[in-house]
């Protein structure tokens, strides 16, 4: 049986391990291919209600295929290094797990990035090239050098290899003695970054807690020191000596279609998936191999077909950031935004409206200016009264609330400081009036066909994910002051001003950048990965500065900060790449912070960063900014994401 159907051809399919339905939590992986089973039958497409011949009015509403996945609802997967695939974690999660789970948190992050690098073309060695290396060396050493791939060296293998150059992959940490160290599963070593340059130059932040690539030379300690816990005596897996770094860069990102192995197009125009992780169901909504083709065909008919009759359409997501309900101007701005969309026809209103925290300016129940639980309840009652004036929006739209650090209950003991991630939703104690407003609006709605989906209010977690048409689209919503934390904790490199200025009259010297050890300080471990080109060609919807404007104009600085922030987060593939002392994380739920595979869109709500919409490695990253920006009285600002074009734009209105 699969999806309520009797299968004629028996045997387990690979998808059976990852079909996270009722009772599928402890499935056993099978290495057999699906064989005679169809993709729809192997996953149970009837359970999802997908029918290629279904042309009812209900399926034409994109909200029918929308699902909100909270951080605590996602399947818990772990990467098996030996078998090179994902496995389901069978143990139940706990808020107070065994200390070994903390080690597994960092090991899992390292394994994901390590396997991602090994599948990168720059780290793959061709067997044909390896077999003919000796012949190439006899004829042309230059050709052999160009065809060499990057090779990662485990830290433990540095012993006895002083003076040799290596490329390391590891986790940046601060040792108990205050030294900057690099760790991997085999050991740790002290880093010397006095000569190091970031790659790309001023294009990303590097902080302790990030996994980075370091290119440099290993140097053993010259003289024996007195025994002690100095971090260089091989105690606890620490390799003696130091690693002199010449370049530090983040691991190159990987596009979503590459991770899921979506290759080519079929005769009907739908994308087809290959091998790789296409069989893995990362969010419990179906895998790419099982449901991707059918869902993309459905997405094309529902979203793309609507574009022929209207330039707007139902496939829009309205994102309001920093909705501070204790600010009187916030309710005015919300009314202005809802008035704009309520004036549109009912079948053209946005399908989702997202209200992201902080929902109050100060921490609730912490002695701040936002009061206690009674005042917090009154803020939502006022919001419910404002929403009741727009019954059309309540009847046809899904409202999603994403809390911040100032919202209860974590704010009661954090006093507005960074709380543990992922954080739970706003308690139902404060949301009863808003739910009543939606129930009243839906009861008064005219439903002649009986197939229309009622509007609803969903109180989700931080972070949370929106999936549309199964694995076809994934939108991640995350609220954090991440740019400020990156600036506070970033590793400081040698300023460029200290370098000698080039002499234009001097003749070029080919050996000028080569030191005594034969290492090129300017060589980056991922130069061949077009990291700089990817940043420069990243599509941005922020108006670029004109040619007459100075290089340090406000528009140019905002674009640079946006691209720097986006590259840092997406290359790490993790929403909180910081030490647990700076940003606590629930060990058993750290998988909810993973950005692997990269989502279709990422909403990174950061009030300290400028509003932007930037595309990097196929992932569209947006920051809506505050709904009521400071210094701009009477202006409402929000982000509008179009699921048809998969692009967002910043909108403003005067109220």
């Amino acid at each position: 049986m699969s999806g309520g159907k009797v299968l004629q051809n028996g045997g387990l399919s690979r998808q059976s391990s990852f079909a996270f339905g009722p009772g599928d939590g402890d499935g056993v992986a099978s290495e057999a291919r699906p064989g005679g089973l169809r993709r729809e039958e192997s996953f149970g497409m009837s359970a999802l209600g997908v029918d290629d011949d279904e042309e009812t009015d209900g399926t034409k509403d994109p909200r029918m295929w929308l699902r909100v996945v909270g951080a605590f609802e996602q399947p818990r997967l772990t990467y098996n290094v030996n078998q090179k695939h994902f496995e389901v974690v069978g143990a139940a999660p706990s808020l107070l797990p065994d200390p070994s789970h903390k080690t597994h948190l960092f090991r899992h992050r390292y394994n994901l990035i390590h396997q991602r690098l090994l599948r990168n073309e720059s780290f793959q060695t061709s067997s044909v090239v390896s077999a003919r290396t000796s012949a190439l060396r006899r004829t042309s050493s230059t050709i052999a050098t160009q065809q060499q791939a990057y090779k990662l060296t485990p830290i433990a293998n540095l012993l006895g290899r002083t003076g040799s150059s290596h490329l390391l992959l590891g986790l940046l940490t601060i040792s108990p003695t205050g030294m900057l160290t690099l760790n991997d599963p085999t050991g740790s070593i002290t880093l010397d970054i006095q000569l190091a340059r970031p790659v790309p130059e001023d294009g990303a932040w590097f902080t302790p807690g990030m996994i980075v690539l370091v290119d440099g030379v290993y140097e053993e300690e010259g003289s024996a020191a007195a025994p002690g816990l100095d971090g260089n005596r091989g105690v606890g897996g620490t390799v003696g000596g130091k690693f002199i770094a010449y370049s530090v860069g983040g691991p190159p990102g990987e596009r979503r279609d590459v991770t899921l192995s979506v290759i080519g197009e079929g005769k009907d125009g739908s994308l087809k998936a290959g091998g790789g992780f296409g069989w893995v169901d990362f969010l419990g909504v179906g895998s790419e191999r099982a449901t991707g083709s059918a869902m993309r065909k459905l997405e094309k008919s529902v979203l793309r077909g609507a574009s022929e009759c209207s330039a707007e359409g139902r496939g829009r997501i309205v994102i309001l950031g920093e909705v501070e309900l204790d600010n009187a101007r916030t309710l005015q701005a919300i009314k202005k935004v809802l008035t704009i969309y309520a004036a549109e026809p009912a079948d053209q209103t946005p399908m989702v409206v997202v209200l992201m925290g902080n929902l109050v300016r100060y921490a609730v129940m912490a002695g701040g200016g936002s009061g206690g639980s009674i005042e917090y309840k009154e803020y939502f009652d006022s919001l419910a009264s404002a929403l009741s004036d727009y019954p059309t929006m309540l009847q046809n739209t899904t409202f999603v609330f994403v809390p911040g650090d100032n919202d209860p209950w974590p704010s009661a003991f954090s006093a507005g400081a960074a709380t543990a991630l992922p954080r739970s939703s706003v308690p139902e104690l404060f949301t009863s009036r808003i739910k009543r407003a939606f129930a009243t609006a839906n009861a008064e709605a005219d439903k002649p066909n009986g197939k229309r989906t009622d509007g609803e209010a969903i109180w989700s977690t931080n972070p949370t994910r929106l999936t549309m048409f199964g694995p076809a689209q994934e939108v991640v919503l995350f609220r954090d002051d991440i740019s400020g934390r990156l600036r506070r904790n970033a590793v400081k490199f040698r300023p460029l001003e200290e370098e000698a200025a080039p002499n234009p009259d001097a003749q070029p010297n080919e050996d000028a950048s080569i030191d005594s050890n034969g290492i090129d300080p300017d060589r980056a471990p991922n130069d061949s990965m077009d990291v700089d080109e990817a940043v420069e060609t990243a599509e941005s919807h922020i108006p670029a500065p004109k040619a007459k404007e100075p290089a340090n104009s406000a528009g140019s600085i905002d674009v640079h900060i946006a691209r720097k922030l986006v590259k840092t987060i997406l290359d790490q593939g993790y929403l909180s790449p910081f030490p647990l002392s700076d940003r606590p994380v629930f060990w058993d739920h750290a998988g909810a912070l993973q950005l692997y595979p990269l989502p279709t869109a990422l909403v990174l709500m950061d009030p300290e960063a400028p509003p932007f919409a930037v595309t990097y490695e196929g992932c569209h990253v947006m920051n809506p900014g505050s709904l009521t920006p400071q210094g701009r009285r009477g202006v409402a600002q929000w982000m509008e994401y179009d699921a048809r074009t998969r692009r967002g734009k910043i909108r403003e209105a005067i109220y």
Side-chain angles (χ1 to χ4, degrees), residues 132-417:
R132 302 176 59 184
T133 299
S134 57
L136 290 173
R137 288 176 179 174
R138 299 190 193 99
T139 57
S140 175
S141 60
T142 304
I143 299 178
T145 303
Q146 292 177 353
Q147 293 181 345
Q148 289 179 356
Y150 293 103
K151 183 179 179 181
L152 297 176
T153 302
I155 292 179
N157 291 4
L158 296 177
L159 289 173
R161 304 173 68 178
T162 180
S164 57
S165 60
H166 301 276
L167 180 61
L168 306 182
L169 175 68
L171 178 72
L172 281 179
T173 58
I174 303 296
S175 67
T177 58
M179 303 295 293
L180 184 65
T181 60
L182 191 71
N183 303 302
D184 71 0
T186 65
S188 62
I189 189 171
T190 302
L191 284 182
D192 184 355
I193 61 171
Q194 295 182 5
L195 303 177
R197 300 305 312 161
V199 178
E201 192 70 44
D202 196 25
W205 281 290
F206 301 99
T207 66
M210 290 185 178
I211 297 177
V212 297
L213 286 167
V214 182
D215 186 20
V217 175
Y218 171 61
E219 180 181 304
E220 290 183 349
E221 47 190 357
S223 59
L229 295 176
D230 57 356
N232 291 331
R233 302 298 302 171
V235 179
T238 301
V239 176
K242 62 181 179 180
F243 191 77
I244 302 177
Y246 292 139
S247 60
V248 179
E254 185 178 75
R255 299 176 64 91
R256 179 180 178 88
D257 53 356
V258 175
T259 304
L260 300 178
S261 299
V262 179
I263 55 177
E265 291 188 359
K267 296 181 180 180
D268 56 352
S270 60
L271 296 177
K272 292 187 177 181
F277 300 125
W279 284 107
V280 181
D281 182 6
F282 290 96
L283 296 179
V285 296
S287 65
E288 181 65 36
R289 290 291 299 272
T291 66
S293 178
M295 284 297 184
R296 293 179 192 279
K297 181 179 179 181
L298 183 64
E299 176 192 15
K300 184 177 181 180
S301 63
V302 174
L303 293 181
R304 271 64 173 183
S307 62
E308 299 177 357
C309 58
S310 174
E312 302 295 335
R314 288 280 284 166
R316 291 174 295 168
I317 299 178
V318 178
I319 306 166
L320 311 181
E322 205 70 5
V323 183
E324 299 171 344
L325 299 178
D326 56 343
N327 186 354
R329 294 191 300 158
T330 300
L331 289 180
Q332 299 178 11
I334 292 176
K335 291 181 179 180
K336 180 60 179 180
V337 175
L338 296 181
T339 300
I340 294 176
Y341 293 107
E344 301 175 355
D347 57 346
Q348 298 297 325
T349 56
M351 62 176 176
V352 180
V353 174
V354 180
L355 286 80
M356 304 188 68
N358 292 312
L359 299 177
V360 287
R361 287 179 290 181
Y362 307 100
V364 177
M365 295 176 291
S370 296
S373 58
I374 298 178
E375 290 79 6
Y376 193 74
K377 178 69 165 57
E378 293 177 350
Y379 298 148
F380 282 104
D381 294 346
S382 301
L383 177 62
S385 300
L387 296 178
S388 300
D389 297 335
Y390 306 93
T392 305
M393 295 292 295
L394 302 187
Q395 297 165 5
N396 299 278
T397 306
T398 298
F399 282 71
V400 180
F401 294 82
V402 179
D405 291 335
N406 290 344
D407 299 304
W409 298 116
S411 63
F413 56 86
S414 67

Side-chain angles (χ1 to χ4, degrees), residues 12-18 24-31 85 88:
L12 286 174
S13 67
R14 188 179 301 179
Q15 181 63 30
S16 62
S17 302
F18 304 102
D24 293 336
D26 53 353
V28 180
S30 172
E31 296 299 327
H85 71 83
V88 184

Side-chain angles (χ1 to χ4, degrees), residues 69-75 422-423 460-465 589 591-593:
V69 182
F72 301 101
E73 302 172 358
Q74 298 182 26
R423 64 144 296 162
S460 192
T461 60
N462 184 29
T464 190
R465 299 173 191 255
H589 296 283
L593 304 179

Side-chain angles (χ1 to χ4, degrees), residues 437-460:
F438 276 85
T440 303
N442 291 325
E444 297 175 354
D446 183 18
K447 294 183 286 187
N449 297 327
K451 296 181 179 294
R452 188 183 57 80
T453 304
D454 293 336
E456 58 179 340
I458 299 178
W459 305 86
S460 192

Side-chain angles (χ1 to χ4, degrees), residues 539-567:
E539 180 181 353
S540 173
H541 294 273
I542 304 175
K546 299 180 181 180
K548 297 182 179 180
E549 294 179 353
N552 58 351
S553 61
S556 177
I557 294 176
D558 290 348
V559 172
H560 175 71
I561 294 176
R563 291 176 175 175
K564 189 174 182 179
L565 174 62
V566 168
K567 177 175 172 54

